[in-house]
Amino acid sequence: MEMLQLIIDILLIVWLVTLTYLSFRRKSEELKPKVPRLTLRKNKKRYIVFKVLSDHDDINVQDMEKQIRMALQELLGKVWLDISNPRVVIYDPGRMSGIISTNRLGYKAVLAALPFVKSVEDKEILLVPVRTTGSLKKAKHLMRQ
């Protein structure tokens, strides 16, 4: 009989300790300040397919990228230049077309700045955006058409 009473007492103590632990844990969670989590999206790329209207065939890609970046900086400032970070990924001098890589936040700023690129290496050019897409594969396909 004493053995049964000892087992019941041990089970009761374990049960009370478990309830006490769960009660304190719940109260400590309620005391913590609840900060809403910001769901950050992955900064996805956007690809702008463009055509070059010019009489000259030999246009330097690095200078063209530099002029696009300068036009964007003059139009919207250094902050938007840093946000959008445009780069000429592919340029085909035979077709006079190329692809600009930017991100989802700044692709509209790059589109707005393209008409402000007037010359590259003292050669008059006009950059005409054809289409914006989310994949490089589709951009390459559009550039070939």
Side-chain angles (χ1 to χ4, degrees):
M1 196 65 148
E2 289 180 16
M3 188 67 158
L4 183 64
Q5 184 64 38
L6 182 66
I7 293 173
I8 291 174
D9 287 344
I10 291 174
L11 287 175
L12 186 62
I13 290 172
V14 168
W15 177 250
L16 288 174
V17 167
T18 307
L19 285 177
T20 306
Y21 170 75
L22 291 175
S23 174
F24 280 127
R25 188 171 148 204
R26 182 179 297 150
K27 285 182 182 177
S28 68
E29 286 177 3
E30 290 174 1
L31 294 177
K32 289 180 184 175
K34 294 191 178 186
V35 178
R37 282 194 171 180
L38 300 175
T39 56
L40 298 176
R41 291 188 192 180
K42 185 179 176 186
N43 201 359
K44 296 183 179 180
K45 298 271 187 187
R46 292 292 179 256
Y47 299 96
I48 301 169
V49 180
F50 68 93
K51 292 215 178 271
V52 177
L53 300 178
S54 176
D55 295 334
H56 307 284
D57 294 337
D58 55 338
I59 297 172
N60 190 355
V61 180
Q62 287 83 16
D63 289 335
M64 185 188 324
E65 181 176 326
K66 189 185 295 184
Q67 290 296 325
I68 293 170
R69 294 176 74 81
M70 284 176 50
L72 182 61
Q73 185 174 355
E74 287 176 14
L75 182 65
L76 296 172
K78 182 138 176 62
V79 173
W80 277 101
L81 176 63
D82 290 341
I83 289 172
S84 60
N85 192 19
R87 292 176 296 133
V88 177
V89 179
I90 297 172
Y91 180 69
D92 184 8
R95 296 180 192 262
M96 298 288 286
S97 63
I99 300 172
I100 298 173
S101 171
T102 183
N103 56 28
R104 186 179 53 85
L105 296 174
Y107 80 94
K108 288 183 181 179
V110 175
L111 284 174
L114 284 182
F116 291 100
V117 178
K118 302 289 186 193
S119 65
V120 173
E121 299 175 329
D122 296 329
K123 300 171 188 169
E124 290 187 5
I125 66 166
L126 181 63
L127 298 179
V128 180
V130 176
R131 181 110 183 254
T132 302
T133 182
S135 72
L136 185 59
K137 182 179 179 181
K138 183 155 186 177
K140 287 179 183 177
H141 177 72
L142 289 169
M143 193 177 87
R144 278 185 244 121
Q145 289 180 347

